[in-house]
Each structure stands twice: as C-alpha cells, then as structure tokens.
Amino acid sequence: MSFEHIIYFVTSGVALLSLNRPKSLNSFNEAMHLEVREAFKLIKADKRVRALVLTGEGRGFCAGQDLSDRNVDPNAESPDLGRSIDKFYNPLIKTIQELPMPVICAVNGVAAGAGANIPLACDLILAGRSAKFIQAFCKIGLVPDSGGTWFLPRLVGMAKAKELALLGEVVSADDAVQIGLINRVVEDDVLRQEAMDLAQKLASQPTKGLAYIKRALNQTFDHGLHAHLELERDLQRLAGQTQDYREGVAAFMEKRTPAFKGE
Ligand code: T3D
C-alpha cells in the first residue's frame, strides 16, 4: 500500500509510522488522518508487528490541526470542531492507547496543539534535543484536545498542567523530562535509531504480557484499589495462558535466554 502523507514500513518486528507533511510541520489535514488510520489497520492485522514507533519527517513532529483547512471568515458558518474531534482525534488517541503492543513516540522537533498531546497517549516518549512541546490551543481560543486535559494533570500534576494549558509556553525537551512529561532526551541525529533500537528490544519481549501491562497501567486511574486488584488478577490469568509465559519460566529454569514469540 502506498501513502502520500505518511511513511510506513515494518522491519524486525517494528512498524515505523512517520508523519510526512514537513512543509506544514506535519500538521493534520483530513488526508493525513485517513492515512494514519489506514496504517493502524495494517499494524493491527500484521502478526509480525510487535512494537510501533511514531515520529515525523523534517524539523517538526506535528503542529496539530492544519489551520489552513479551517474557514474562519467572519461571514462563514462556524466549523463544527467537535465533529473533527469525534471523527479523527479521539479515535486516534483511543487506537494508540488500545493497541496491544508498546508504542514509542520519537518527537523529532516541535510538537504543538494536538501534536503535543498525541505523544502523551503513547507508552514511551523519546525526544530529540531540539524538540519542544507547546499546548498551543489557548493561543487560538481552543481547549487542549487529544486527551491533553486528561494526560497532563496525571503526568505533571494539576498546577503544572494548568500552567502549560493556560499560558501555552514552550517547554524544551530537557524541561519536559524534568517535569515528567516525557521519558528521555537524545541527540537529534540519533533519535530515530534510538527509538527503533528500543522498539526492537520491546518487540523481542513477551508482546501479550506487555500489552496487559499497558492495559493495567492505562486503567489505573479509572478504578479504586479493589477494582484494580481484580483487573490485575484477570490480566494475570490471561498472561499465564500465553506461550511466552511458559517460555519465560522454562528459560529461567534452564538458565538460558528466552526466545519469546509474542504468542
Ligand atoms: O480544528 C480541529 O479539527 C480541532 C482540533 C484542533 C487540534 C489542534 O491541534 S488546534 C492547534 C493547532 N496548532 C497550532 O495552533 C500551532 C500552529 N503553529 C505554530 O504555532 C507554529 O507554527 C509552531 C510553534 C508549531 C512552530 O513555529 P515555527 O516558527 O518553528 O514555524 P512556523 O514558521 O510557524 O511554521 C512553519 C510552516 O508550517 C509555516 O508555513 P510557511 O509560512 O513556511 O508556508 C506555517 O504556516 C506552517 N504551519 C505550522 N503549523 C501549522 C502550519 N500550517 C497549518 N497548520 C498548522 N497548525
């Protein structure tokens, strides 16, 4: 399948999905949304894929919604942004969160608007040294979307979340690590390789077990302790039924390196 607005390929168990509209800092138009959606369908259907790297081409990761697609002429009818959220952004965030494998976001430059929040839905966030994160919504009279008002307080606390969302100031990659927004900063020229290496390492692990870990952690704030203990029990039951669990225990007992197959 060929794409125009994204780059997509699979190598050594890892899918790479790179946003590819660099002239507008990989901002989302409808066509790119549709291709991203198509790529996620491929990922879900491809048994080889056991980890995903999401990144962007050029000097930006993503500048959110392509604002040139919005008619703001005073005489024009107001656009229904809720429809755009329902149709594209919310399904994307849910898809990333529910994907049963680790998703690494490699933030290769500026990440603004929805482009700053899509990484927060991923499981691990690596950033190039030059990356910056901007909750740009407040500058154009909008509300942080793509899960921004959900993820931010959980990651950085309410005080910092309000500061980021209400002021829309630029957060450097180093500061983003410092405040717990992202995981790691690496030099720009090695970002993609580092992300791919990490993804390949994850792709060689018990994929189903990692998917259950992801599910348990993603749901942790939805439950009280008792309900969450029950979820852990249910997921452990499922994990115990995987081939990789058998392999992990057998390899430990036989003092050898396990060969996990993601089954
Ligand atoms: O509408 C809905 O569906 C609702 C959902 C909304 C979700 C959202 O994401 S709303 C937020 C939208 N995004 C923004 O408000 C960010 C707008 N961009 C910026 O503030 C700045 O571009 C950046 C801070 C991201 C980067 O600044 P800088 O100085 O590094 O680059 P630049 O010169 O501003 O941008 C480079 C080019 O990309 C430029 O085009 P040009 O002049 O070279 O032809 C610029 O117009 C274009 N560009 C950047 N962001 C967008 C964009 N074009 C369209 N839409 C953009 N969002």
PDB file of all heavy atoms in Angstrom, residues 169-198:
ATOM      1  N   GLU A 169       3.126  28.142  26.914  1.00  0.00           N
ATOM      2  CA  GLU A 169       4.557  28.442  26.754  1.00  0.00           C
ATOM      3  C   GLU A 169       5.299  27.235  26.185  1.00  0.00           C
ATOM      4  O   GLU A 169       4.848  26.093  26.308  1.00  0.00           O
ATOM      5  CB  GLU A 169       5.164  28.841  28.109  1.00  0.00           C
ATOM      6  CG  GLU A 169       4.680  30.214  28.562  1.00  0.00           C
ATOM      7  CD  GLU A 169       5.123  30.592  29.972  1.00  0.00           C
ATOM      8  OE1 GLU A 169       5.689  29.748  30.693  1.00  0.00           O
ATOM      9  OE2 GLU A 169       4.855  31.746  30.352  1.00  0.00           O
ATOM     10  N   VAL A 170       6.478  27.543  25.630  1.00  0.00           N
ATOM     11  CA  VAL A 170       7.289  26.479  25.035  1.00  0.00           C
ATOM     12  C   VAL A 170       7.999  25.704  26.141  1.00  0.00           C
ATOM     13  O   VAL A 170       8.643  26.290  27.010  1.00  0.00           O
ATOM     14  CB  VAL A 170       8.354  27.090  24.088  1.00  0.00           C
ATOM     15  CG1 VAL A 170       9.278  26.005  23.552  1.00  0.00           C
ATOM     16  CG2 VAL A 170       7.683  27.855  22.962  1.00  0.00           C
ATOM     17  N   VAL A 171       7.886  24.370  26.108  1.00  0.00           N
ATOM     18  CA  VAL A 171       8.610  23.501  27.045  1.00  0.00           C
ATOM     19  C   VAL A 171       9.709  22.790  26.264  1.00  0.00           C
ATOM     20  O   VAL A 171       9.422  22.097  25.277  1.00  0.00           O
ATOM     21  CB  VAL A 171       7.664  22.458  27.684  1.00  0.00           C
ATOM     22  CG1 VAL A 171       8.423  21.545  28.640  1.00  0.00           C
ATOM     23  CG2 VAL A 171       6.500  23.130  28.384  1.00  0.00           C
ATOM     24  N   SER A 172      10.949  22.984  26.677  1.00  0.00           N
ATOM     25  CA  SER A 172      12.061  22.337  25.971  1.00  0.00           C
ATOM     26  C   SER A 172      12.048  20.839  26.268  1.00  0.00           C
ATOM     27  O   SER A 172      11.422  20.385  27.237  1.00  0.00           O
ATOM     28  CB  SER A 172      13.397  22.928  26.435  1.00  0.00           C
ATOM     29  OG  SER A 172      13.634  22.510  27.770  1.00  0.00           O
ATOM     30  N   ALA A 173      12.792  20.085  25.452  1.00  0.00           N
ATOM     31  CA  ALA A 173      12.860  18.629  25.672  1.00  0.00           C
ATOM     32  C   ALA A 173      13.438  18.327  27.056  1.00  0.00           C
ATOM     33  O   ALA A 173      12.929  17.452  27.781  1.00  0.00           O
ATOM     34  CB  ALA A 173      13.698  17.983  24.573  1.00  0.00           C
ATOM     35  N   ASP A 174      14.493  19.070  27.443  1.00  0.00           N
ATOM     36  CA  ASP A 174      15.094  18.813  28.758  1.00  0.00           C
ATOM     37  C   ASP A 174      14.097  19.091  29.876  1.00  0.00           C
ATOM     38  O   ASP A 174      13.977  18.309  30.823  1.00  0.00           O
ATOM     39  CB  ASP A 174      16.358  19.675  28.937  1.00  0.00           C
ATOM     40  CG  ASP A 174      17.523  19.115  28.124  1.00  0.00           C
ATOM     41  OD1 ASP A 174      17.636  17.872  28.015  1.00  0.00           O
ATOM     42  OD2 ASP A 174      18.308  19.912  27.579  1.00  0.00           O
ATOM     43  N   ASP A 175      13.376  20.218  29.753  1.00  0.00           N
ATOM     44  CA  ASP A 175      12.387  20.539  30.791  1.00  0.00           C
ATOM     45  C   ASP A 175      11.253  19.515  30.794  1.00  0.00           C
ATOM     46  O   ASP A 175      10.702  19.192  31.846  1.00  0.00           O
ATOM     47  CB  ASP A 175      11.818  21.945  30.577  1.00  0.00           C
ATOM     48  CG  ASP A 175      12.827  23.026  30.975  1.00  0.00           C
ATOM     49  OD1 ASP A 175      13.852  22.679  31.606  1.00  0.00           O
ATOM     50  OD2 ASP A 175      12.605  24.194  30.627  1.00  0.00           O
ATOM     51  N   ALA A 176      10.913  19.007  29.611  1.00  0.00           N
ATOM     52  CA  ALA A 176       9.822  18.026  29.531  1.00  0.00           C
ATOM     53  C   ALA A 176      10.186  16.754  30.304  1.00  0.00           C
ATOM     54  O   ALA A 176       9.329  16.156  30.964  1.00  0.00           O
ATOM     55  CB  ALA A 176       9.505  17.713  28.068  1.00  0.00           C
ATOM     56  N   VAL A 177      11.461  16.359  30.247  1.00  0.00           N
ATOM     57  CA  VAL A 177      11.887  15.194  31.046  1.00  0.00           C
ATOM     58  C   VAL A 177      11.809  15.542  32.529  1.00  0.00           C
ATOM     59  O   VAL A 177      11.301  14.767  33.347  1.00  0.00           O
ATOM     60  CB  VAL A 177      13.335  14.771  30.692  1.00  0.00           C
ATOM     61  CG1 VAL A 177      13.839  13.734  31.677  1.00  0.00           C
ATOM     62  CG2 VAL A 177      13.399  14.206  29.291  1.00  0.00           C
ATOM     63  N   GLN A 178      12.331  16.740  32.819  1.00  0.00           N
ATOM     64  CA  GLN A 178      12.391  17.204  34.217  1.00  0.00           C
ATOM     65  C   GLN A 178      11.022  17.175  34.894  1.00  0.00           C
ATOM     66  O   GLN A 178      10.903  16.774  36.048  1.00  0.00           O
ATOM     67  CB  GLN A 178      12.929  18.644  34.195  1.00  0.00           C
ATOM     68  CG  GLN A 178      13.652  19.088  35.442  1.00  0.00           C
ATOM     69  CD  GLN A 178      14.890  18.261  35.696  1.00  0.00           C
ATOM     70  OE1 GLN A 178      15.610  17.940  34.771  1.00  0.00           O
ATOM     71  NE2 GLN A 178      15.103  17.879  36.943  1.00  0.00           N
ATOM     72  N   ILE A 179       9.972  17.582  34.170  1.00  0.00           N
ATOM     73  CA  ILE A 179       8.644  17.666  34.804  1.00  0.00           C
ATOM     74  C   ILE A 179       7.842  16.356  34.650  1.00  0.00           C
ATOM     75  O   ILE A 179       6.692  16.278  35.075  1.00  0.00           O
ATOM     76  CB  ILE A 179       7.810  18.859  34.262  1.00  0.00           C
ATOM     77  CG1 ILE A 179       7.502  18.707  32.755  1.00  0.00           C
ATOM     78  CG2 ILE A 179       8.517  20.177  34.541  1.00  0.00           C
ATOM     79  CD1 ILE A 179       6.583  19.785  32.200  1.00  0.00           C
ATOM     80  N   GLY A 180       8.473  15.349  34.027  1.00  0.00           N
ATOM     81  CA  GLY A 180       7.792  14.046  33.930  1.00  0.00           C
ATOM     82  C   GLY A 180       6.834  13.936  32.758  1.00  0.00           C
ATOM     83  O   GLY A 180       5.985  13.038  32.719  1.00  0.00           O
ATOM     84  N   LEU A 181       6.962  14.851  31.795  1.00  0.00           N
ATOM     85  CA  LEU A 181       6.064  14.815  30.629  1.00  0.00           C
ATOM     86  C   LEU A 181       6.499  13.740  29.641  1.00  0.00           C
ATOM     87  O   LEU A 181       5.666  13.127  28.971  1.00  0.00           O
ATOM     88  CB  LEU A 181       6.098  16.195  29.949  1.00  0.00           C
ATOM     89  CG  LEU A 181       5.070  16.479  28.880  1.00  0.00           C
ATOM     90  CD1 LEU A 181       3.670  16.538  29.480  1.00  0.00           C
ATOM     91  CD2 LEU A 181       5.376  17.812  28.166  1.00  0.00           C
ATOM     92  N   ILE A 182       7.818  13.538  29.535  1.00  0.00           N
ATOM     93  CA  ILE A 182       8.354  12.563  28.570  1.00  0.00           C
ATOM     94  C   ILE A 182       9.431  11.725  29.266  1.00  0.00           C
ATOM     95  O   ILE A 182       9.839  12.034  30.387  1.00  0.00           O
ATOM     96  CB  ILE A 182       8.939  13.259  27.312  1.00  0.00           C
ATOM     97  CG1 ILE A 182      10.199  14.056  27.654  1.00  0.00           C
ATOM     98  CG2 ILE A 182       7.891  14.159  26.662  1.00  0.00           C
ATOM     99  CD1 ILE A 182      10.943  14.573  26.425  1.00  0.00           C
ATOM    100  N   ASN A 183       9.907  10.694  28.562  1.00  0.00           N
ATOM    101  CA  ASN A 183      10.846   9.771  29.208  1.00  0.00           C
ATOM    102  C   ASN A 183      12.323  10.143  29.046  1.00  0.00           C
ATOM    103  O   ASN A 183      13.060  10.168  30.028  1.00  0.00           O
ATOM    104  CB  ASN A 183      10.641   8.353  28.670  1.00  0.00           C
ATOM    105  CG  ASN A 183       9.269   7.841  28.973  1.00  0.00           C
ATOM    106  OD1 ASN A 183       8.370   7.937  28.156  1.00  0.00           O
ATOM    107  ND2 ASN A 183       9.068   7.349  30.183  1.00  0.00           N
ATOM    108  N   ARG A 184      12.739  10.379  27.793  1.00  0.00           N
ATOM    109  CA  ARG A 184      14.175  10.554  27.558  1.00  0.00           C
ATOM    110  C   ARG A 184      14.439  11.592  26.475  1.00  0.00           C
ATOM    111  O   ARG A 184      13.633  11.741  25.564  1.00  0.00           O
ATOM    112  CB  ARG A 184      14.822   9.258  27.064  1.00  0.00           C
ATOM    113  CG  ARG A 184      14.733   8.125  28.049  1.00  0.00           C
ATOM    114  CD  ARG A 184      15.381   6.869  27.479  1.00  0.00           C
ATOM    115  NE  ARG A 184      15.059   5.737  28.318  1.00  0.00           N
ATOM    116  CZ  ARG A 184      15.353   4.477  28.062  1.00  0.00           C
ATOM    117  NH1 ARG A 184      15.993   4.169  26.936  1.00  0.00           N
ATOM    118  NH2 ARG A 184      15.027   3.510  28.886  1.00  0.00           N
ATOM    119  N   VAL A 185      15.598  12.246  26.580  1.00  0.00           N
ATOM    120  CA  VAL A 185      16.069  13.129  25.510  1.00  0.00           C
ATOM    121  C   VAL A 185      17.343  12.532  24.947  1.00  0.00           C
ATOM    122  O   VAL A 185      18.205  12.075  25.707  1.00  0.00           O
ATOM    123  CB  VAL A 185      16.411  14.535  26.047  1.00  0.00           C
ATOM    124  CG1 VAL A 185      16.852  15.443  24.901  1.00  0.00           C
ATOM    125  CG2 VAL A 185      15.234  15.146  26.764  1.00  0.00           C
ATOM    126  N   VAL A 186      17.451  12.522  23.626  1.00  0.00           N
ATOM    127  CA  VAL A 186      18.689  12.065  22.978  1.00  0.00           C
ATOM    128  C   VAL A 186      19.055  13.098  21.913  1.00  0.00           C
ATOM    129  O   VAL A 186      18.237  13.966  21.575  1.00  0.00           O
ATOM    130  CB  VAL A 186      18.523  10.665  22.327  1.00  0.00           C
ATOM    131  CG1 VAL A 186      18.156   9.627  23.367  1.00  0.00           C
ATOM    132  CG2 VAL A 186      17.480  10.684  21.225  1.00  0.00           C
ATOM    133  N   GLU A 187      20.274  13.011  21.409  1.00  0.00           N
ATOM    134  CA  GLU A 187      20.668  13.968  20.379  1.00  0.00           C
ATOM    135  C   GLU A 187      19.790  13.754  19.144  1.00  0.00           C
ATOM    136  O   GLU A 187      19.394  12.631  18.829  1.00  0.00           O
ATOM    137  CB  GLU A 187      22.149  13.801  20.034  1.00  0.00           C
ATOM    138  CG  GLU A 187      23.088  14.144  21.200  1.00  0.00           C
ATOM    139  CD  GLU A 187      22.763  15.463  21.911  1.00  0.00           C
ATOM    140  OE1 GLU A 187      22.437  16.455  21.222  1.00  0.00           O
ATOM    141  OE2 GLU A 187      22.799  15.496  23.154  1.00  0.00           O
ATOM    142  N   ASP A 188      19.526  14.860  18.431  1.00  0.00           N
ATOM    143  CA  ASP A 188      18.615  14.800  17.278  1.00  0.00           C
ATOM    144  C   ASP A 188      19.030  13.746  16.256  1.00  0.00           C
ATOM    145  O   ASP A 188      18.193  13.028  15.721  1.00  0.00           O
ATOM    146  CB  ASP A 188      18.582  16.166  16.565  1.00  0.00           C
ATOM    147  CG  ASP A 188      17.849  17.205  17.396  1.00  0.00           C
ATOM    148  OD1 ASP A 188      16.922  16.828  18.137  1.00  0.00           O
ATOM    149  OD2 ASP A 188      18.223  18.389  17.314  1.00  0.00           O
ATOM    150  N   ASP A 189      20.342  13.675  15.982  1.00  0.00           N
ATOM    151  CA  ASP A 189      20.778  12.810  14.883  1.00  0.00           C
ATOM    152  C   ASP A 189      20.707  11.317  15.208  1.00  0.00           C
ATOM    153  O   ASP A 189      20.858  10.493  14.312  1.00  0.00           O
ATOM    154  CB  ASP A 189      22.196  13.205  14.405  1.00  0.00           C
ATOM    155  CG  ASP A 189      23.219  13.134  15.515  1.00  0.00           C
ATOM    156  OD1 ASP A 189      22.823  13.001  16.688  1.00  0.00           O
ATOM    157  OD2 ASP A 189      24.430  13.195  15.221  1.00  0.00           O
ATOM    158  N   VAL A 190      20.465  10.980  16.471  1.00  0.00           N
ATOM    159  CA  VAL A 190      20.343   9.548  16.801  1.00  0.00           C
ATOM    160  C   VAL A 190      18.932   9.182  17.266  1.00  0.00           C
ATOM    161  O   VAL A 190      18.671   8.030  17.612  1.00  0.00           O
ATOM    162  CB  VAL A 190      21.372   9.097  17.869  1.00  0.00           C
ATOM    163  CG1 VAL A 190      22.787   9.228  17.343  1.00  0.00           C
ATOM    164  CG2 VAL A 190      21.209   9.869  19.173  1.00  0.00           C
ATOM    165  N   LEU A 191      18.039  10.181  17.252  1.00  0.00           N
ATOM    166  CA  LEU A 191      16.690   9.938  17.813  1.00  0.00           C
ATOM    167  C   LEU A 191      15.995   8.740  17.174  1.00  0.00           C
ATOM    168  O   LEU A 191      15.533   7.829  17.865  1.00  0.00           O
ATOM    169  CB  LEU A 191      15.821  11.194  17.650  1.00  0.00           C
ATOM    170  CG  LEU A 191      14.355  10.996  18.036  1.00  0.00           C
ATOM    171  CD1 LEU A 191      14.199  10.768  19.534  1.00  0.00           C
ATOM    172  CD2 LEU A 191      13.506  12.180  17.589  1.00  0.00           C
ATOM    173  N   ARG A 192      15.937   8.740  15.845  1.00  0.00           N
ATOM    174  CA  ARG A 192      15.172   7.669  15.204  1.00  0.00           C
ATOM    175  C   ARG A 192      15.797   6.306  15.477  1.00  0.00           C
ATOM    176  O   ARG A 192      15.102   5.335  15.774  1.00  0.00           O
ATOM    177  CB  ARG A 192      15.029   7.908  13.703  1.00  0.00           C
ATOM    178  CG  ARG A 192      14.044   6.922  13.110  1.00  0.00           C
ATOM    179  CD  ARG A 192      13.576   7.243  11.749  1.00  0.00           C
ATOM    180  NE  ARG A 192      12.816   8.475  11.660  1.00  0.00           N
ATOM    181  CZ  ARG A 192      12.154   8.859  10.576  1.00  0.00           C
ATOM    182  NH1 ARG A 192      12.144   8.094   9.511  1.00  0.00           N
ATOM    183  NH2 ARG A 192      11.497  10.000  10.554  1.00  0.00           N
ATOM    184  N   GLN A 193      17.134   6.250  15.406  1.00  0.00           N
ATOM    185  CA  GLN A 193      17.795   4.967  15.647  1.00  0.00           C
ATOM    186  C   GLN A 193      17.565   4.491  17.080  1.00  0.00           C
ATOM    187  O   GLN A 193      17.293   3.312  17.324  1.00  0.00           O
ATOM    188  CB  GLN A 193      19.304   5.092  15.342  1.00  0.00           C
ATOM    189  CG  GLN A 193      20.001   3.746  15.223  1.00  0.00           C
ATOM    190  CD  GLN A 193      19.312   2.808  14.223  1.00  0.00           C
ATOM    191  OE1 GLN A 193      19.081   3.191  13.080  1.00  0.00           O
ATOM    192  NE2 GLN A 193      18.956   1.599  14.661  1.00  0.00           N
ATOM    193  N   GLU A 194      17.686   5.436  18.022  1.00  0.00           N
ATOM    194  CA  GLU A 194      17.449   5.065  19.443  1.00  0.00           C
ATOM    195  C   GLU A 194      16.027   4.541  19.630  1.00  0.00           C
ATOM    196  O   GLU A 194      15.797   3.564  20.337  1.00  0.00           O
ATOM    197  CB  GLU A 194      17.653   6.280  20.354  1.00  0.00           C
ATOM    198  CG  GLU A 194      19.080   6.783  20.395  1.00  0.00           C
ATOM    199  CD  GLU A 194      19.890   6.176  21.524  1.00  0.00           C
ATOM    200  OE1 GLU A 194      19.307   5.661  22.478  1.00  0.00           O
ATOM    201  OE2 GLU A 194      21.141   6.220  21.405  1.00  0.00           O
ATOM    202  N   ALA A 195      15.076   5.216  18.973  1.00  0.00           N
ATOM    203  CA  ALA A 195      13.676   4.787  19.110  1.00  0.00           C
ATOM    204  C   ALA A 195      13.485   3.410  18.483  1.00  0.00           C
ATOM    205  O   ALA A 195      12.805   2.541  19.057  1.00  0.00           O
ATOM    206  CB  ALA A 195      12.748   5.809  18.463  1.00  0.00           C
ATOM    207  N   MET A 196      14.101   3.201  17.327  1.00  0.00           N
ATOM    208  CA  MET A 196      13.971   1.898  16.658  1.00  0.00           C
ATOM    209  C   MET A 196      14.645   0.803  17.494  1.00  0.00           C
ATOM    210  O   MET A 196      14.115  -0.303  17.617  1.00  0.00           O
ATOM    211  CB  MET A 196      14.581   1.945  15.251  1.00  0.00           C
ATOM    212  CG  MET A 196      13.795   2.759  14.252  1.00  0.00           C
ATOM    213  SD  MET A 196      12.082   2.224  14.030  1.00  0.00           S
ATOM    214  CE  MET A 196      12.291   0.820  12.942  1.00  0.00           C
ATOM    215  N   ASP A 197      15.819   1.109  18.046  1.00  0.00           N
ATOM    216  CA  ASP A 197      16.520   0.109  18.878  1.00  0.00           C
ATOM    217  C   ASP A 197      15.659  -0.284  20.082  1.00  0.00           C
ATOM    218  O   ASP A 197      15.534  -1.469  20.411  1.00  0.00           O
ATOM    219  CB  ASP A 197      17.865   0.664  19.375  1.00  0.00           C
ATOM    220  CG  ASP A 197      18.885   0.780  18.245  1.00  0.00           C
ATOM    221  OD1 ASP A 197      18.623   0.251  17.140  1.00  0.00           O
ATOM    222  OD2 ASP A 197      19.940   1.420  18.455  1.00  0.00           O
ATOM    223  N   LEU A 198      15.094   0.729  20.718  1.00  0.00           N
ATOM    224  CA  LEU A 198      14.260   0.455  21.888  1.00  0.00           C
ATOM    225  C   LEU A 198      13.029  -0.366  21.475  1.00  0.00           C
ATOM    226  O   LEU A 198      12.634  -1.321  22.147  1.00  0.00           O
ATOM    227  CB  LEU A 198      13.830   1.786  22.523  1.00  0.00           C
ATOM    228  CG  LEU A 198      13.141   1.728  23.875  1.00  0.00           C
ATOM    229  CD1 LEU A 198      13.995   1.004  24.920  1.00  0.00           C
ATOM    230  CD2 LEU A 198      12.827   3.149  24.364  1.00  0.00           C
TER     231      LEU A 198
END
